[in-house]
Amino acid sequence: MAVGKNPGLSKGGKKGGIKRKLVDVMVRKEWYDIVAPKVFKNRQACKTLVNKTQGAKLSSDNLKGRIFEVSLGDLAEDEQLSFRKMLLKVEEVQGRNCLTNFYGMTLTTDKLRSLIRKWCTLVEASQDIKTTDGYVLRVFMIGFTKARPGQTRKNCYAQSAQVRRLRRKMFEIMNNHISKSDLQKCVEKFKLETIGTDVQKAANGIYPLRDVVIRKVKVIKAPKLDIGKLLEIHGEIPQSKEDLGVPVEAEATEE
């Protein structure tokens, strides 16, 4: 027999020692609703768990700063937009509602890979732009060259000088759209893909582009939290859809 500790013995050295009392972890937790800004159609994004307030440890302190990744298809109630993922950050807690703000956006991996094809040039651009309300956004844009009308050549590669001109055009249009808008208007533009459409139209004079999209957005810097502005971007906070149930009277038993 190998020399070592006997797993059958307790700390006291006797079998059948004092067993630990099993405690249900969920008893000391409670559910909170994650509320998205009013720029989205479906405001009830999801729910989250947190430990109940105990003494100086407040549940609201544990919730503030949490970041949630939600599909735009769910927020906009449109399956065609499910290839975008929105990041929402909890800024304030009111009752059982966590008020969030936009924190970033990405494309899903399958969508990004579906855009890449052979025989074309990939044009990328990234820039840090400040919005009118003080947020600094790092925006990443991609686009792909496409064949000109009536072209018989197999590939559609752009020259390095043309790529530089296309990238300059991307910078110019991104800066015009974002620097003259606040954060919520920028989110609306990211949803509708108006920036990519404008770049695609402007690029026709240099080299035709296809699938010009903003693939990623990061919030690099945010101004100091203003509760009044946060409540303004949320408007009327929707009530929780949680079904609390209805008390049922016990049926009288026949003797």
Side-chain angles (χ1 to χ4, degrees):
M1 180 179 174
V3 178
K5 291 183 180 179
N6 187 349
L9 295 176
S10 63
K11 277 189 177 180
K14 294 180 181 179
K15 258 188 176 179
I18 300 169
K19 293 183 179 178
R20 288 184 181 180
K21 188 179 179 182
L22 294 174
V23 180
D24 187 7
V25 182
M26 297 300 291
V27 172
R28 55 191 177 90
K29 292 186 182 289
E30 54 190 357
W31 290 96
Y32 280 77
D33 291 324
I34 305 303
V35 182
K38 63 182 179 183
V39 71
F40 299 107
K41 189 176 180 182
N42 181 18
R43 304 284 305 284
Q44 296 281 358
C46 55
K47 289 181 179 288
T48 188
L49 270 174
V50 70
N51 288 335
K52 292 177 182 177
T53 301
Q54 289 183 345
K57 291 183 179 180
L58 302 177
S59 57
S60 58
D61 292 340
N62 291 331
L63 288 166
K64 287 176 185 176
R66 285 192 183 183
I67 297 167
F68 297 88
E69 187 180 89
V70 189
S71 170
L72 181 58
D74 294 333
L75 291 172
E77 295 183 351
D78 185 357
E79 289 183 3
Q80 293 181 352
L81 300 174
S82 58
F83 60 88
R84 286 195 183 282
K85 294 183 290 184
M86 291 288 179
L87 299 178
L88 301 174
K89 184 179 180 180
V90 177
E91 300 282 7
E92 183 62 27
V93 180
Q94 288 196 346
R96 285 297 186 90
N97 294 314
C98 300
L99 306 185
T100 61
N101 202 358
F102 176 80
Y103 191 69
M105 182 191 76
T106 56
L107 285 181
T108 56
T109 308
D110 59 322
K111 174 66 176 178
L112 194 59
R113 289 177 178 174
S114 70
L115 300 175
I116 299 169
R117 298 174 199 165
K118 293 194 295 183
W119 317 116
C120 65
T121 303
L122 166 66
V123 184
E124 289 185 287
S126 63
Q127 192 177 22
D128 291 357
I129 309 170
K130 193 172 185 178
T131 63
T132 55
D133 50 354
Y135 288 87
V136 179
L137 305 180
R138 183 167 292 165
V139 186
F140 299 82
M141 177 176 273
I142 58 170
F144 303 86
T145 57
K146 67 175 181 179
R148 298 180 188 273
Q151 179 179 316
T152 55
R153 191 176 55 187
K154 186 177 182 180
N155 63 56
C156 49
Y157 297 131
Q159 296 176 350
S160 57
Q162 290 173 321
V163 171
R164 284 196 296 272
R165 288 174 64 195
L166 288 168
R167 194 174 288 118
R168 229 176 287 131
K169 187 64 72 176
M170 285 180 173
F171 287 149
E172 181 188 331
I173 293 173
M174 281 195 298
N175 202 29
N176 286 342
H177 274 276
I178 296 171
S179 62
K180 296 176 183 177
S181 306
D182 61 10
L183 184 65
Q184 299 309 308
K185 286 182 181 175
C186 290
V187 174
E188 193 68 43
K189 289 177 181 181
F190 297 150
K191 280 169 54 185
L192 301 174
E193 202 55 66
T194 54
I195 302 174
T197 307
D198 287 354
V199 170
Q200 204 162 324
K201 288 177 183 175
N204 284 331
I206 304 168
Y207 205 106
L209 292 178
R210 64 165 176 86
D211 297 325
V212 181
V213 292
I214 291 175
R215 70 170 182 86
K216 195 174 192 178
V217 178
K218 289 181 180 178
V219 176
I220 301 300
K221 195 175 180 182
K224 193 175 179 181
L225 178 63
D226 185 348
I227 301 297
K229 284 186 179 178
L230 184 66
L231 293 174
E232 187 182 332
I233 67 169
H234 275 271
E236 187 181 348
I237 299 170
Q239 290 184 349
S240 175
K241 295 179 182 176
E242 187 178 356
D243 187 5
L244 299 175
V246 180
V248 180
E249 293 180 4
E251 295 180 3
T253 54
E254 296 180 1
E255 294 182 358

